[in-house]
Amino acid sequence: IGCPIVITGAQIPGHRIETDARRNFINAVKVATLDRAGIFLVFDGDIITGARAHKVSESKLDAYRPVNWGLLGEIRIDIRFSDEAKLRHNRPIQYCPGFDSRVVVYTLFPGFPPEELEAVIERGTVRGIVLASYGSGNISYKFMDVIQLAKSKNIPVVVTTQCLEGATLMHLYDVGRQALNKGAIQAYDMSTECTVTKLMWALHRSKTIEEVQTILHTDYTGEINVEGKLYGAPT
């Protein structure tokens, strides 16, 4: 995208005198006129890369934070962008529409029955599974057969973390390495929202799990840290 696409909103309804909608809207319009390109969230003076944005509060005016990344910019008496902000350009846009929404997300907890996933896989109604795991991508050994079953049916299983900060580093522990060997795909430092959206986009244009993994691990808009795979993860 060669121009800015700016998203904003408000925590306080617009009809109230103390609303933050007016300030957020003015700031969003100002950012949209600048010599920058990309999809941004502008909220309470922060400029956040769209694919990194996460809502952390239902009531604070600074309701959003970037996940595993710094701010792309700040609005003070002037507007300051980080060095990572891309400039506008006139190159042709690469428009690749289409999503396959047949994806399910499961948040794991102690005692989560693997039979639940087996039933979903056997029904054949989903094309992708996201598992929100513990810590750096840890899951129970009980799920190894489930991951292998999903792979046999060409259903990618993507492992993310329940932690807001950090990344899946499944190579660190035996259970993670076994899951990867069975066919699991780790999300690294992508947020759950980004992982789900990107998986749906990947499924629409892929025929194999390997193709899905290639897309998921490709950095398109700054949404994933693939350089060095963080903390020495194998490439």
Side-chain angles (χ1 to χ4, degrees):
I1 295 175
C3 65
I5 297 177
V6 185
I7 301 168
T8 192
Q11 289 289 81
I12 303 173
H15 66 273
R16 291 170 56 176
I17 192 170
E18 72 273 24
T19 181
D20 57 329
R22 185 180 302 105
R23 175 171 175 253
N24 286 342
F25 177 71
I26 291 172
N27 285 338
V29 172
K30 289 171 65 177
V31 170
T33 66
L34 299 179
D35 190 27
R36 294 295 186 274
I39 299 175
F40 313 135
L41 172 68
V42 170
F43 215 92
D44 195 49
D46 292 339
I47 305 172
I48 303 172
T49 299
R52 291 280 185 178
H54 180 84
K55 191 168 187 179
V56 296
S57 175
E58 50 79 33
S59 57
K60 291 183 179 180
L61 297 186
D62 58 337
Y64 290 87
R65 289 285 185 273
V67 175
N68 292 319
W69 215 253
L71 292 173
L72 191 68
E74 292 181 282
I75 301 171
R76 304 183 184 182
I77 58 174
D78 58 351
I79 298 179
R80 305 178 185 183
F81 281 95
S82 73
D83 294 337
E84 297 170 355
K86 298 178 181 179
L87 296 176
R88 283 180 183 258
H89 61 80
N90 295 319
R91 297 188 297 274
I93 186 172
Q94 297 182 16
Y95 183 55
C96 304
F99 294 85
D100 190 329
S101 60
R102 289 174 292 175
V103 171
V104 292
V105 182
Y106 286 95
T107 300
L108 300 183
F109 56 84
F112 187 102
E115 296 79 13
E116 174 74 19
L117 287 178
E118 291 177 2
V120 169
I121 294 169
E122 293 292 0
R123 280 201 300 269
T125 56
V126 301
R127 284 203 61 211
I129 297 171
V130 176
L131 296 182
S133 65
Y134 313 115
S136 58
N138 298 316
I139 59 178
S140 171
Y141 285 104
K142 295 186 298 183
F143 291 96
M144 298 301 112
D145 290 342
V146 176
I147 294 172
Q148 194 164 28
L149 173 64
K151 183 178 181 180
S152 71
K153 295 183 179 295
N154 203 35
I155 299 173
V157 177
V158 185
V159 180
T160 185
T161 176
Q162 296 178 31
C163 301
L164 184 57
E165 296 181 353
T168 57
L169 303 166
M170 297 174 67
H171 66 287
L172 293 180
Y173 301 101
D174 178 70
V175 66
R177 291 192 293 270
Q178 286 199 32
L180 292 174
N181 290 335
K182 296 289 185 180
I185 303 170
Q186 56 181 328
Y188 291 113
D189 65 335
M190 289 190 293
S191 67
T192 299
E193 300 96 320
C194 180
T195 300
V196 172
T197 304
K198 199 172 180 182
L199 177 58
M200 291 192 295
W201 187 75
L203 288 171
H204 183 73
R205 48 197 32 82
S206 302
K207 295 182 179 179
T208 67
I209 292 177
E210 291 73 21
E211 291 174 343
V212 170
Q213 178 169 315
T214 297
I215 291 175
L216 288 178
H217 290 169
T218 299
D219 183 26
Y220 295 98
T221 63
E223 77 280 3
I224 185 172
N225 186 343
V226 295
E227 185 176 355
K229 299 296 189 292
L230 293 177
Y231 307 110
T235 57

